[in-house]
Amino acid sequence: MAKFQRSRSIRRLLPLLSGLIALVGATTACSIGTQSSGDLLDRVRESGTLRVANTQANPPWNFLDEASRPVGYDVDVTHELARRLGVAEVEFIPSNFQSFIEGVRADRFDVVISGQTITDERREQVDFSRPYQVNGVSIFVKAGESSIATLADLAGRSVGVSAGTTQEKMAREQIDDADVRTYQNATLALTDLARGGVDAMLVSRFQGTFLAQQNDLPVEPAGELLEREVNAMTFHKDSPRFKQAVDDALASMIDDGTLTRLSERWLGGLDMAAELAKLPVDQNR
């Protein structure tokens, strides 16, 4: 009798054991699939789509045109990169600087191509490509003005800035006796500069150039960049083959003139390859 009861108990347990084994197997398989998905390069080539995050609100780097299509320097660089990686499609995913790192780590997108600055803190969480652009602040003056090229030249003069920006802080702290005038945005400040309302303006060189062209303003950058940020593409750690392929693609875009052509189109004639060449060797890789 005891033997029969044990046999019946075992038979009752078999379906439960089978279900448990199936569940464990499925969980294990799922885990293996996630952890052993290979280098990011393999995944994007297999999927045929490169998922790219950008702000879509940062002209001239990336923004939406009249038809709500992503355009700009970052966008053109992205399409060229995908072509050289052998990936047919690009999916642009709107995001922001606060969410880029988290999005990469959570696999919401494959790569960020949106002017993200290389920092040691970010390197602890994600990997970076070699630099594909530099950004920085310039002095803008009325077209034809030749007496201003440095911050020292602005001593005692009127200087326009967008309110609350690092450029306002720079003007107040680094220009002797400056008459600092704040504006709600760069377009208003550049417009006043063009009218002679201020002697100069501090703004991102590339944004200032783009806005001047878009609004037909007779203003231009003067002198060298006052501050320089080095921007790269951001992606998940532990994908060395993807990084190597991206770095190789960017190097070829520099060597064959593609990066020069794209930057001259969007950044007011600026040659980004030449700007990158000015970086110290340890920053330009």
Side-chain angles (χ1 to χ4, degrees):
M1 183 69 176
K3 182 176 180 181
F4 174 75
Q5 288 177 336
R6 283 198 300 271
S7 299
R8 185 168 58 184
S9 297
I10 292 172
R11 285 197 300 272
R12 288 175 177 173
L13 285 173
L14 284 176
L16 295 175
L17 290 171
S18 299
L20 180 61
I21 291 170
L23 177 62
V24 171
T27 303
T28 303
C30 189
S31 174
I32 291 174
T34 300
Q35 295 178 4
S36 303
S37 53
D39 193 279
L40 180 56
L41 182 64
D42 297 324
R43 282 189 280 153
V44 298
R45 284 178 173 169
E46 288 171 5
S47 71
T49 300
L50 184 66
R51 300 173 302 155
V52 180
N54 56 21
T55 67
Q56 301 186 7
N58 192 26
W61 295 278
N62 58 86
F63 58 105
L64 300 179
D65 65 9
E66 294 82 358
S68 296
R69 295 170 302 193
V71 294
Y73 172 75
D74 289 338
V75 174
D76 281 1
V77 169
T78 297
H79 283 298
E80 187 64 28
L81 172 68
R83 185 182 71 80
R84 297 184 189 220
L85 291 179
V87 181
E89 301 293 333
V90 174
E91 178 187 358
F92 289 105
I93 301 172
S95 187
N96 55 57
F97 285 94
Q98 292 88 349
S99 303
F100 282 153
I101 299 295
E102 177 189 347
V104 166
R105 300 183 69 186
D107 196 35
R108 288 199 292 271
F109 27 80
D110 301 314
V111 58
V112 176
I113 305 179
S114 194
Q116 198 164 31
T117 302
I118 301 171
T119 68
D120 291 337
E121 181 181 0
R122 288 171 177 165
R123 281 189 187 278
E124 294 178 359
Q125 304 177 74
V126 295
D127 274 347
F128 286 98
S129 70
R130 63 176 293 164
Y132 78 101
Q133 70 177 32
V134 294
N135 191 8
V137 177
S138 275
I139 300 170
F140 272 72
V141 298
K142 194 170 183 178
E145 170 63 60
S146 59
S147 65
I148 297 174
T150 67
L151 289 179
D153 296 331
L154 294 175
R157 302 205 193 202
S158 57
V159 182
V161 292
S162 294
T165 62
T166 55
Q167 290 83 57
E168 179 181 356
K169 185 174 185 289
M170 177 188 291
R172 296 190 186 282
E173 295 180 354
Q174 299 185 34
I175 304 174
D176 294 336
D177 302 318
D179 175 13
V180 180
R181 302 181 188 179
T182 60
Y183 299 80
Q184 288 303 306
N185 57 59
T187 301
L188 292 174
L190 288 168
T191 300
D192 201 29
L193 172 62
R195 294 170 179 167
V198 288
D199 296 316
M201 184 198 173
L202 301 185
V203 66
S204 159
R205 181 173 191 136
F206 312 126
Q207 184 180 38
T209 301
F210 179 82
L211 292 173
Q213 291 180 336
Q214 290 292 102
N215 296 282
D216 196 25
L217 299 173
V219 299
E220 60 190 11
E224 298 293 325
L225 289 175
L226 303 177
E227 287 186 345
R228 187 184 300 272
E229 295 178 344
V230 182
N231 300 154
M233 302 174 183
T234 311
F235 43 87
H236 205 280
K237 276 187 170 295
D238 304 320
S239 289
R241 291 179 56 245
F242 182 79
K243 173 175 170 53
Q244 188 63 57
V246 170
D247 286 352
D248 289 346
L250 289 173
S252 68
M253 290 166 67
I254 291 171
D255 291 342
D256 67 16
T258 299
L259 207 66
T260 295
R261 174 175 56 81
L262 297 181
S263 61
E264 287 180 343
R265 175 188 178 190
W266 290 105
L267 305 178
L270 181 129
D271 182 350
M272 188 59 74
E275 293 296 321
L276 290 170
K278 297 176 184 177
L279 294 175
V281 174
D282 62 339
Q283 283 187 289
N284 203 5
R285 63 187 180 192

